[in-house]
């Protein structure tokens, strides 16, 4: 995925993205971070074709996003949103099988492929035993995994996650990030996610895009992007950085 | 299992009500007499029943099924349990254009279903367009629907007032009586109604996917706008055809899918057929009660539905 000088405005006046250019690296975990309203979710929404840019181009496999048909795009790009309505009377398995829709047409449907993809998605997210359960019977962490499983069933190379940890408590946050890491390492998925927690971003990303006021301030390896200066500049927070033998780099905010 | 039992029970009740409706009234018949007469082409009483009551029963069944399915479809696309063709103005939009055509260009009478469809579609479009503000807020949608409904009902009433005696037939156009139905009415509602009902069944999986958030539905390659448009068109077709043949009957589309969901759940694959069956039964029952309870006077089925439906809507709103 490649973004070229993307300009987005929700109201036609203020530019919410001001000519953003970047490229998502294959097989890596890329995390977009930045303060509230910096445009990180907007950027993700441009990638997901929810916002069409005023100017600039977004390319996936060298093809402009506007030229993709919906199903064709959904075979290459999967996204999990932060908030999801929970449909009633729906089993885990049934919801995950919705992820196969990009491969269905009015006449064509390959049940064997579908079953395989759904089984795989459920196994990846450790939901195989809960496949017959109703969605309403699941915990918050499990539900988030169900949405990821649905996205996995799309069998895309690229998986995006919009603030996947926001409504979860710390245990499920870690469980989820470990899952993301596993999907990347074991299954070679390219991951793009938006996170709020800077330390989680440092720990789980190969590449960080730091945004502020609709622009990319810095991007690259975590330790080059998240520094005393950038944190002060972007978040207005004083922070100290420590190195831990097993954890690596971590940050402690100390004041404003 | 519960689903099968409920379906069988409702189907049985529908048949019993239909037989009761056919044999009760100014001409009476016993059950066995009726059954044997059914296969006797020379039975005169039966001929009267066939001409007078059968059309009414069949129209009631189709109108109930069509309106209930329309309600279920509207609730799916508007993501709103309170949506109903009668409540949000689709029926009154259809009724207005029907009245307009019948009285202004009577030569186009045979095209009333099409004009009613246009009127209903206009009302539906207005509700959608005015209520849409980066998503559909349930409350705003219902309030705008009520406003649109009031507007079309007002237009219809004004039209009748202006027309005066010229429109002696107007009140019967507006009225939701199921009385005096002919086999011609049956033909219209059976053809258009069946088309609409079959299309609705075909689209059941779209209705299910619309229960997801719009963005999520889009992310799996689902064309949300197209699906909404197509389902809305079917819902408008079903409500318009009911209005053309049976008049405006409010609350059916609200009441029936809600009860159906309680019984068979939210999966549209089961919900839509069951809603059709239940709606057919409830309208036929309402009409039969209305016509027998203070005979020879008649209470229209729509009045009975309004008496039940009004409090039910309040109950739903209170429940949030």
């Amino acid at each position: 995925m490649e973004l070229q000088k993307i300009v987005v405005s929700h109201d036609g006046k203020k530019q919410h993205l001001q000519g953003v250019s970047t490229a998502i690296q294959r097989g890596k975990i890329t995390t977009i971070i930045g303060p509230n309203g910096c445009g990180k979710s907007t950027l993700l929404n441009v990638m997901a074709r929810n916002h069409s840019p005023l100017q600039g181009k977004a390319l996936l496999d060298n093809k402009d996003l506007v030229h993709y048909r919906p199903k064709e795009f959904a075979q290459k790009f999967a996204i999990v949103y932060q908030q999801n309505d929970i449909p009633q009377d729906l089993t885990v398995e049934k919801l995950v099988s919705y992820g196969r829709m990009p491969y269905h047409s009015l006449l064509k449907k390959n049940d064997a492929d579908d079953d395989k993809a759904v089984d795989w998605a459920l196994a990846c997210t450790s939901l195989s035993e809960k496949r017959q359960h109703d969605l309403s019977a699941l915990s918050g962490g499990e539900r988030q995994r169900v949405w990821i499983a649905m996205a996995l069933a799309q069998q895309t190379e690229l998986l995006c996650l919009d603030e996947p940890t926001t409504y979860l408590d710390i245990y499920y946050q870690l469980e989820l990030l470990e899952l993301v890491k596993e999907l990347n390492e074991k299954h070679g998925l390219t991951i793009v996610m938006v996170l709020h927690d800077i330390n989680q971003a440092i720990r789980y990303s190969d590449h960080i895009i730091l945004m502020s006021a609709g622009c990319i301030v810095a991007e690259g390896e975590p330790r080059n992007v998240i520094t005393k200066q950038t944190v002060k500049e972007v978040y207005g927070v004083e922070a100290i950085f420590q190195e831990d033998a097993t954890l690596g780099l971590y940050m402690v905010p100390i004041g404003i | 299992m519960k689903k099968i039992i409920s379906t069988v029970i409702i189907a049985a009740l529908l048949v019993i009500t239909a037989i009761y409706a056919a044999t009760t009234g100014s001409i009476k018949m016993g059950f066995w007499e009726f059954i044997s007469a059914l296969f006797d082409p020379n039975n005169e009483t039966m001929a009267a029943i066939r001409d007078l009551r059968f059309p009414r029963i069949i129209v009631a069944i189709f109108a109930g099924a069509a309106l209930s399915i329309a309600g279920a479809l509207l609730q799916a696309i508007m993501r709103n349990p309170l949506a109903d063709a009668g409540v949000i103005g689709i029926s009154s939009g259809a009724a207005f254009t029907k009245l307009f055509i019948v009285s202004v260009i009577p030569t186009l009478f045979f095209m009333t279903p099409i004009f009613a469809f246009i009127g209903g579609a206009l009302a539906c479009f207005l509700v959608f367009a005015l209520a849409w503000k980066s998503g559909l807020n349930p409350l705003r949608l219902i309030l705008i629907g009520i406003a649109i409904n009031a507007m079309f009902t007002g237009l219809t009433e004004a039209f009748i007032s202006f027309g005066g005696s010229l429109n002696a037939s107007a009140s019967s156009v507006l009225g939701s009586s199921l009385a005096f139905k002919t086999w011609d009415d049956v033909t219209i509602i059976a053809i258009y109604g069946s088309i609409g009902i079959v299309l609705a069944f075909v689209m059941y999986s779209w209705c299910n996917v619309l229960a997801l958030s719009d963005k999520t539905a889009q992310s799996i390659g689902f064309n949300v706008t197209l699906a909404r448009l197509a389902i809305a068109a079917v819902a408008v077709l079903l409500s318009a055809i009911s209005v053309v043949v049976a008049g405006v009957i409010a609350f059916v589309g609200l009441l029936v899918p809600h009860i159906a969901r309680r019984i068979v759940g939210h999966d549209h694959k089961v919900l839509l057929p069951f809603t059709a069956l239940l709606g057919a039964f409830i309208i036929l029952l309402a009409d039969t009660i209305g016509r027998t309870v203070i005979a020879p006077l008649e209470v229209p089925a729509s009045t009975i539905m309004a008496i039940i439906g009004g409090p039910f809507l309040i109950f739903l709103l209170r429940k949030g």
Side-chain angles (χ1 to χ4, degrees):
Chain A
M1 170 87 68
E2 200 180 327
L3 303 175
Q4 298 171 350
K5 300 200 177 107
I6 300 280
V7 176
V8 170
S9 172
H10 300 316
D11 53 9
K13 290 178 223 136
K14 191 180 168 234
Q15 289 192 349
H16 295 85
L17 287 179
Q18 312 185 3
V20 170
S21 301
T22 187
I24 305 302
Q25 297 164 28
R26 269 175 204 275
K28 296 274 172 69
I29 299 182
T30 302
T31 303
I32 309 170
I33 60 168
N36 289 335
C38 70
K40 51 189 190 304
S41 282
T42 309
L43 188 64
L44 208 60
N45 277 312
V46 168
M47 295 185 192
R49 307 208 307 175
N50 290 324
H51 298 320
S52 38
L54 286 178
Q55 291 165 34
K57 265 204 284 193
L59 306 171
L60 179 62
D61 292 344
N62 294 318
K63 184 171 166 184
D64 196 323
L65 293 196
V66 294
H67 297 314
Y68 277 95
R69 280 176 289 113
K71 287 190 175 173
E72 190 192 356
F73 185 68
Q75 290 179 9
K76 297 195 167 211
F77 183 96
I79 184 164
V80 178
Y81 292 101
Q82 178 186 165
Q83 262 181 311
N84 281 295
D85 294 340
I86 313 287
Q88 285 170 291
D89 293 327
L90 200 59
T91 61
V92 171
E93 186 176 27
K94 182 85 186 133
L95 180 76
V96 173
S97 74
Y98 282 174
R100 297 305 296 166
M101 195 171 280
Y103 298 92
H104 297 171
S105 65
L106 221 50
L107 304 167
K108 202 180 74 211
K109 207 175 152 194
N110 189 331
D111 289 333
D113 281 2
D114 287 354
D115 290 347
K116 237 172 87 184
V118 170
D119 287 346
W120 174 74
L122 288 170
C124 283
T125 48
S126 333
L127 287 165
S128 300
E129 281 164 22
K130 303 230 166 179
R131 61 193 304 159
Q132 298 301 343
H133 287 223
D134 201 280
L135 284 184
S136 53
L138 301 181
S139 70
E142 284 169 338
R143 268 187 211 160
Q144 191 66 313
R145 293 212 308 268
V146 175
W147 296 109
I148 292 178
M150 182 175 98
L152 288 177
Q154 288 173 246
Q155 292 190 310
T156 58
E157 229 177 280
L158 185 61
L159 174 65
C160 289
L161 304 144
D162 189 7
E163 300 194 23
T165 53
T166 298
Y167 292 105
L168 303 178
D169 55 41
I170 188 97
Y171 176 87
Y172 290 117
Q173 289 188 14
L174 285 176
E175 184 188 63
L176 193 117
L177 289 165
E178 287 298 328
L179 168 65
V180 167
K181 196 170 140 192
E182 196 182 296
L183 290 173
N184 170 256
E185 284 173 358
K186 254 195 178 163
H187 303 287
L189 265 76
T190 305
I191 309 270
V192 179
M193 56 183 172
V194 170
L195 288 181
H196 258 302
D197 188 309
I198 297 175
N199 281 317
Q200 288 176 353
I202 297 173
R203 195 163 153 204
Y204 287 97
S205 327
D206 301 310
H207 190 90
I208 287 184
I209 298 176
L210 178 61
M211 293 188 68
S212 173
C215 295
I216 293 179
V217 179
E219 67 171 308
E221 273 181 50
R223 60 178 61 243
N224 299 333
V225 174
I226 309 292
T227 62
K228 219 170 150 53
Q229 292 78 26
T230 54
V231 169
K232 175 71 191 163
E233 189 191 315
V234 170
Y235 289 93
V237 171
E238 298 284 354
I240 49 170
F241 286 82
Q242 301 271 330
E243 197 82 38
D244 181 272
T246 47
L247 271 180
L249 187 72
Y250 67 93
M251 181 197 85
V252 183
I254 48 171
I256 49 172
Chain B
M1 198 57 206
K2 188 182 166 195
K3 291 167 190 168
I4 299 168
I5 294 173
S6 328
T7 310
V8 171
I9 291 176
I10 300 296
L13 284 173
L14 177 63
V15 172
I16 293 168
T17 316
I19 295 174
Y20 178 75
T23 52
T24 313
S26 50
I27 315 169
K28 281 193 173 37
M29 229 187 203
F31 176 74
W32 295 112
E33 194 187 345
F34 172 76
I35 296 293
S36 60
L38 206 52
F39 304 101
D40 176 8
N42 300 321
N43 188 318
E44 276 177 31
T45 325
M46 196 58 201
I49 287 179
R50 200 171 269 137
D51 278 347
L52 294 174
R53 286 195 196 136
F54 277 15
R56 179 175 190 152
I57 292 168
I58 298 172
V59 166
I61 286 174
F62 269 101
L67 283 170
S68 309
I69 288 197
L73 296 179
L74 290 170
Q75 285 153 24
I77 56 173
M78 297 185 171
R79 306 163 57 81
N80 189 330
L82 301 175
D84 164 53
V87 176
I88 64 168
I90 294 176
S91 296
S92 53
F96 174 69
T97 40
K98 173 192 169 189
L99 172 66
F100 190 83
I101 291 304
V102 168
S103 34
V104 177
I105 327 171
T107 44
L108 290 180
F109 182 79
F110 66 97
M111 283 175 75
T112 37
I114 292 160
F115 284 102
F117 177 80
I118 294 171
L122 176 68
C124 185
F125 168 77
L126 282 174
V127 172
F128 255 116
L130 295 172
W132 193 274
K133 219 179 204 176
S134 66
L136 286 173
N137 173 318
L139 195 60
R140 186 169 54 228
L141 187 111
I142 288 305
L143 291 176
I144 286 179
I146 290 168
I148 299 286
N149 187 25
M151 191 183 83
F152 276 114
T153 310
L155 278 175
T156 309
E157 281 164 7
F159 197 79
I160 294 171
S161 311
F162 284 133
S165 57
L166 188 139
N167 269 311
S169 62
S171 57
S172 77
V173 170
L174 236 200
S176 51
S177 171
L178 287 163
F180 309 118
K181 292 299 151 200
T182 62
W183 281 103
D184 288 343
D185 294 315
V186 172
T187 314
I188 295 177
I189 203 168
I191 292 174
Y192 289 95
S194 306
I195 293 174
I197 291 171
V198 168
L199 284 175
F201 289 170
V202 170
M203 292 199 252
Y204 82 87
S205 62
W206 290 7
C207 295
N208 283 342
V209 175
L210 280 173
L212 302 173
S213 319
D214 281 8
K215 272 182 166 183
T216 306
Q218 258 152 12
S219 75
I220 49 173
F222 185 73
N223 194 331
V224 176
T225 317
L226 186 72
R228 276 223 171 87
L229 265 175
I231 298 173
V234 174
V236 170
L237 168 71
L238 286 168
S239 15
I241 203 64
S242 312
V243 168
V244 167
V245 178
V248 178
I249 309 174
F251 295 117
V252 193
L254 181 75
L255 199 86
V256 173
H258 191 83
I259 301 171
R261 263 184 226 108
R262 286 276 163 102
I263 300 174
V264 298
H266 289 72
D267 184 355
H268 285 82
K269 190 179 185 175
V270 189
L271 179 65
L272 288 178
F274 189 75
T275 298
L277 195 61
L278 188 63
F281 164 64
I282 287 184
I283 288 296
L284 182 60
L285 183 69
D287 182 52
T288 309
I289 292 174
R291 141 179 108 76
T292 50
V293 73
I294 46 164
L297 296 175
E298 285 200 4
V299 185
S302 62
T303 308
I304 296 202
M305 283 315 294
I307 292 169
I308 311 167
F312 190 75
L313 177 63
I314 295 169
F315 166 74
L316 285 185
L317 279 167
R318 293 277 306 178
K319 256 183 63 193

